[in-house]
Amino acid sequence: MKEVEEKQAKQTENLENGTSFSTDTEEREEELSKYMVIPDMFITRKTVKKGGRVYNDYFVNGVLRGVQVQVRVRPGKDSSGFTDVSSYTMLDIVFGSLTSVQFAVQSYKRRDLATNRSVTGYTYHAYSKDPKDGEEWTAPLRFETSSDKAMIMKMIEVSNRDHELGLIL
């Protein structure tokens, strides 16, 4: 009984601090899962010049029903509408001197304390592993339109089926 009361007190404290996930050790371990590389998808970088300045554009590449698909990666926007331009810096770091990197997903599981329901899903990442020291480098990816998201999900679904990745979509 005391254990339950302590857990509820901790959840209330987390809610007051703005933390929206459960404090159970088992759930936290599930939440911090490893990255799963999707074999048929990769990310490329294209350098463009605009107004005398050099920019990098990033694209997720794959194939759907024999058609080459390229989906542009866009930085996300926060609730006030500001663009997260630092995501481009993170992508530059992940790429380093490479021209392409792998596409990966990471599963998450969180408990919504307001409704006490578990929420699960995947986040998308640019992924590279340093061949010298084995360190993993990742950058979160976002897509601008619902059709871009639908194409990404379909490519993941097809790769999951073809390579038996075991993803629950």
Side-chain angles (χ1 to χ4, degrees):
M1 185 69 170
K2 184 178 178 182
E3 187 177 305
V4 171
E5 290 172 355
E6 287 175 3
K7 182 178 176 181
Q8 288 174 341
K10 186 73 170 176
Q11 287 178 343
T12 303
E13 178 184 321
N14 285 338
L15 186 57
E16 290 169 357
N17 293 333
T19 307
S20 63
F21 53 83
S22 174
T23 58
D24 282 349
T25 305
E26 292 174 355
E27 288 184 25
R28 293 292 303 276
E29 287 174 7
E30 287 178 3
E31 182 179 4
L32 302 172
S33 70
K34 296 283 185 193
Y35 294 97
M36 176 165 293
V37 173
I38 307 299
D40 299 331
M41 298 171 69
F42 60 97
I43 302 160
T44 57
R45 174 170 54 184
K46 180 182 176 185
T47 303
V48 294
K49 273 189 164 183
K50 293 181 186 174
R53 297 185 72 182
V54 176
Y55 297 96
N56 289 320
D57 282 338
Y58 297 90
F59 299 91
V60 175
N61 299 274
V63 177
L64 285 175
R65 298 182 96 187
V67 176
Q68 288 280 52
V69 177
Q70 256 194 353
V71 178
R72 175 178 253 153
V73 174
R74 295 284 190 173
K77 294 186 179 185
D78 64 14
S79 59
S80 59
F82 289 106
T83 302
D84 178 16
V85 293
S86 63
S87 62
Y88 283 122
T89 304
M90 196 63 207
L91 282 165
D92 287 337
I93 292 168
V94 170
F95 268 79
S97 62
L98 302 171
T99 57
S100 70
V101 296
Q102 296 173 308
F103 180 89
V105 295
Q106 182 182 33
S107 64
Y108 67 85
K109 180 178 181 179
R110 294 188 179 98
R111 182 161 304 280
D112 181 357
L113 294 178
T115 62
N116 201 27
R117 292 174 50 182
S118 287
V119 179
T120 59
Y122 294 98
T123 55
Y124 312 116
H125 299 270
Y127 176 91
S128 68
K129 194 169 191 176
D130 192 316
K132 294 178 185 173
D133 61 9
E135 185 164 357
E136 296 176 323
W137 294 91
T138 64
L141 301 175
R142 296 200 181 189
F143 307 99
E144 195 168 46
T145 65
S146 58
S147 60
D148 288 346
K149 294 173 191 172
M151 278 195 285
I152 293 295
M153 283 304 300
K154 194 61 174 176
M155 285 189 286
I156 293 170
E157 182 182 319
V158 169
S159 189
N160 185 39
R161 182 190 65 227
D162 292 348
H163 298 285
E164 298 176 6
L165 301 176
L167 296 174
I168 300 170
L169 304 172

